[in-house]
Amino acid sequence: MLKMSCLKHQLILLVLVLVGVALGAHDGVHHVEELTGKRFIQARFDTGIATEKYTPPEEKNPQFWYDLAYEELGRKLKLPQPNGKKAKNLIMFLGDGMSLSTVAAARILKGQKAGGTGEEASLSFEQFPHTGLSRTYCSNAQVPDSACTATAYLCGVKTNIIEIGVSAAVTFNNCTESQNPDNRLTSIAEWAQNAGKSTGIVTTTTLTHASPSGAYAKTANRMWECDTDVESYGVDPKECVDMATQLVTQVPGRNFEVMLGGGMGKFLPKSIKDSHGNPGERSDGVNLLSRWQAKHDGGVLVTNRKQLLSMNVSAVSSIVGLFQSSLMDFHLEADASYQPTLSELTEVTIKKLSQNKNGYFAFIEGGLIDYGNHYTKAGYALDEVLEFEKAIKLARDLTSIEDTLIIVTSDHGHTLSISGYPGRGTPILGLNQHDADVNGIKYSTLNYAAGPKNYLDANGKRMDMTQEIGGSDFVFPSYITKDQGVHSGDDVGIFASGPQSHLFTGVMQQSTIPHLMAYAACIGKGPKLCDAK
């Protein structure tokens, strides 16, 4: 009987996944059936159900990760402490999909754009005094997505793939489990608000995308961005509130003073067009932006660069900026007169949040690095890193190293590689001029493990790419044929500057990061610097 019940449960999940796929169960690059492992690539007559990803039982309890973080912090505190200052302000910069190879390639591109050989260049955050490594696996995933990782670096607990703000006791798409108070987590944004600090989120994706949602959302499915999305997975949006609604109506989202990014459609009903000329996506008829404005006296909604930069931040109580209907445009494709840069978003955010004498927490994401890598368009990904590092430099210049802790990290890697012994100064977006494959054909210095183009002829020989390679939108080669690039499971970098930045060294669990930030700022319920004095 139990076996039949389990099989029935698996079949229901499978049907939900397939229904979701039919309705577009992804955001362009993140396919639910791929992330869950339920993609049906099976033998023709195989009627078996795809195997569920395994979660170690002890990791389903959030306290497991809290204890592990406190243990890691304790070991660090036994070492000599070179800095006893408290962090008044916290800024987390998140380069989505920014693997260490992506960082290195962007550094080289920056140097080559400046007329050098490239390898000697340095990104702004690479000059930060302290660096470490973050272990990115999630509770049931050797290679993670941006949802479970956001839960780790913002809530301090590792969870299952595709889930945000809930513990690993919650299974994919399970509304009931996600509503259990024991399974719901709080984020560092909420810890900061409880301490009287101002908070804000910034992204070049959408405000309801996985990474920024880690600061406010609690959901069993990262794709539940609006009520229409929830319904598409067979779940009642009245029982499980969508992420856009959570952001506007629930704590801590409703208390954010700054929210800047894309994704306007998730906040508006289908019956009206947004400021960018596209219809909203909501089926419930609710205009969440009107609801937000009604609850925020002095709050301002801006939808383009001119409105953002002409605003007097001292004269407004809070800001929502929605600069595209969905994702913001790649920097290389954006209308510079219409869409603000990440640096401009960062400057407005810091100027607004810094008005609070108690300090602030800001989450700022370069989200399209990930999309460039998914498209295996390294030129786009690296350009997004260069925009990201400009914003970081600006933030460091606008703030004091004495009271503002800035953390730069990534959620996960990508399979981009730099290889083949190219000589110094070889164009990083070009062919390796110092080597060839077994057939004498030159190959690109940058390659991906998986992606849409192999550049092989009918006989399986590598094609000469001399006439194709070089443009920023060039699709780089891969050896595993897939419709898009995939994430990697390698460690990602952590770069730290400011009070208590020395704690962010060595190899640590990704879920330890917010606990270290909370310690430095004396917020949250865990160990605090202030308690040690």
Side-chain angles (χ1 to χ4, degrees):
M1 191 67 149
L2 183 61
K3 188 174 181 180
M4 285 296 294
S5 176
C6 181
L7 180 60
K8 181 179 179 182
H9 174 68
Q10 289 179 318
L11 285 170
I12 290 172
L13 274 178
L14 177 62
V15 169
L16 286 173
V17 169
L18 293 178
V19 168
V21 170
L23 293 171
H26 57 85
D27 56 11
V29 298
H30 303 100
H31 300 270
V32 163
E33 75 278 12
E34 180 175 52
L35 296 175
T36 56
K38 294 184 174 69
R39 185 188 288 271
F40 252 109
I41 303 177
Q42 295 177 300
R44 191 171 186 181
F45 300 107
D46 182 359
T47 57
I49 303 298
T51 303
E52 295 289 335
K53 291 186 174 181
Y54 170 71
T55 302
E58 66 275 12
E59 296 186 12
K60 295 180 180 181
N61 185 347
Q63 194 61 43
F64 173 88
W65 298 105
Y66 275 71
D67 291 343
L68 186 57
Y70 300 156
E71 182 182 317
E72 288 192 351
L73 172 59
R75 287 198 298 269
K76 293 175 182 292
L77 294 179
K78 289 180 180 179
L79 301 173
Q81 301 297 300
N83 186 329
K85 294 179 180 177
K86 171 187 171 183
K88 175 183 176 182
N89 309 310
L90 301 170
I91 304 177
M92 172 176 274
F93 278 95
L94 193 284
D96 198 309
M98 190 178 71
S99 60
L100 288 174
S101 58
T102 303
V103 171
R107 172 203 311 149
I108 294 171
L109 180 61
K110 178 182 180 180
Q112 292 179 347
K113 283 178 172 287
T117 56
E119 297 81 6
E120 71 289 342
S122 182
L123 302 176
S124 62
F125 55 88
E126 291 183 301
Q127 299 175 31
F128 281 9
H130 298 101
T131 59
L133 292 173
S134 168
R135 302 172 66 183
T136 63
Y137 71 90
C138 287
S139 287
N140 68 342
Q142 192 173 78
V143 176
D145 76 327
S146 294
C148 61
T149 51
T151 305
Y153 62 73
L154 287 169
C155 300
V157 174
K158 291 200 175 192
T159 191
N160 295 324
I161 199 165
I162 308 188
E163 298 174 8
I164 303 172
V166 294
S167 75
V170 178
T171 52
F172 166 67
N173 213 65
N174 191 309
C175 176
T176 302
E177 291 174 348
S178 71
Q179 297 302 302
N180 185 335
D182 293 338
N183 297 334
R184 294 167 74 83
L185 307 173
T186 57
S187 75
I188 190 170
E190 188 167 346
W191 308 343
Q193 289 179 6
N194 290 339
K197 296 182 184 296
S198 293
T199 52
I201 56 173
V202 177
T203 181
T204 50
T205 59
T206 67
L207 291 180
T208 52
H209 214 261
S211 301
S213 297
Y216 67 85
K218 298 167 179 58
T219 178
N221 185 344
R222 64 178 282 181
M223 301 301 176
W224 292 351
E225 296 185 56
C226 73
D227 68 307
T228 306
D229 301 325
V230 178
E231 287 182 317
S232 74
Y233 282 88
V235 175
D236 185 350
K238 292 180 181 177
E239 293 183 14
C240 262
V241 178
D242 64 89
M243 288 146 65
T245 300
Q246 289 186 45
L247 178 57
V248 170
T249 66
Q250 296 184 2
V251 173
R254 70 187 186 195
N255 296 326
F256 289 157
E257 291 184 18
V258 176
M259 296 180 281
L260 304 176
M264 195 171 192
K266 301 297 183 183
F267 297 87
L268 297 175
K270 296 177 178 179
S271 58
I272 65 175
K273 286 189 175 182
D274 65 20
S275 300
H276 312 290
N278 298 305
E281 299 183 40
R282 303 192 64 83
S283 301
D284 58 8
V286 175
N287 184 328
L288 286 174
L289 298 180
S290 294
R291 182 172 292 185
W292 177 84
Q293 288 181 307
K295 293 185 176 182
H296 291 80
D297 187 30
V300 173
L301 170 67
V302 293
T303 59
N304 59 54
R305 181 175 183 265
K306 182 179 179 180
Q307 291 175 354
L308 179 74
L309 299 185
S310 62
M311 177 180 51
N312 179 1
V313 296
S314 299
V316 302
S317 64
S318 47
I319 310 164
V320 171
L322 289 162
F323 305 102
Q324 296 292 347
S325 301
S326 185
L327 302 170
M328 291 179 65
D329 292 334
F330 282 112
H331 170 250
L332 288 173
E333 295 181 350
D335 179 348
S337 66
Y338 185 78
Q339 179 176 292
T341 65
L342 184 58
S343 292
E344 290 168 340
L345 299 177
T346 298
E347 182 171 7
V348 169
T349 298
I350 291 174
K351 286 182 176 179
K352 175 57 190 168
L353 298 182
S354 61
Q355 294 173 344
N356 187 338
K357 61 180 176 54
N358 295 320
Y360 58 85
F361 167 78
F363 174 81
I364 303 174
E365 181 194 24
L368 298 180
I369 301 169
D370 181 58
Y371 278 79
N373 277 327
H374 272 298
Y375 298 154
T376 64
K377 293 184 177 182
Y380 276 35
L382 303 189
D383 181 74
E384 291 296 320
V385 175
L386 297 185
E387 287 300 298
F388 183 61
E389 69 111 16
K390 290 176 187 175
I392 295 165
K393 182 181 185 305
L394 177 66
R396 188 69 285 176
D397 291 344
L398 287 175
T399 59
S400 170
I401 199 170
E402 299 297 316
D403 68 4
T404 303
L405 173 62
I406 298 181
I407 303 298
V408 179
T409 189
S410 178
D411 47 356
H412 56 75
H414 261 276
T415 66
L416 179 69
S417 66
I418 310 171
S419 56
Y421 314 109
R424 182 72 180 269
T426 297
I428 193 64
L429 295 177
L431 292 177
N432 177 1
Q433 297 299 323
H434 300 93
D435 196 17
D437 66 12
V438 294
N439 297 307
I441 303 297
K442 286 183 170 60
Y443 57 89
S444 57
T445 300
L446 300 181
N447 294 275
Y448 289 87
K453 287 196 174 184
N454 303 132
Y455 295 97
L456 303 177
D457 64 19
N459 298 315
K461 291 184 178 181
R462 187 164 299 282
M463 298 164 55
D464 185 351
M465 296 179 289
T466 305
Q467 301 305 315
E468 297 184 58
I469 200 168
S472 296
D473 62 349
F474 177 73
V475 177
F476 277 79
S478 56
Y479 80 93
I480 298 170
T481 306
K482 286 181 66 69
D483 59 348
Q484 57 174 301
V486 295
H487 298 173
S488 64
D490 42 312
D491 297 349
V492 296
I494 308 172
F495 308 83
S497 171
Q500 303 301 307
S501 59
H502 62 276
L503 297 175
F504 295 85
T505 55
V507 181
M508 70 185 71
Q509 291 288 2
Q510 192 169 52
S511 49
T512 295
I513 294 173
H515 296 291
L516 298 184
M517 297 180 76
Y519 173 85
C522 298
I523 62 176
K525 295 182 178 180
K528 302 177 182 64
L529 172 68
C530 302
D531 296 337
K533 292 183 176 181

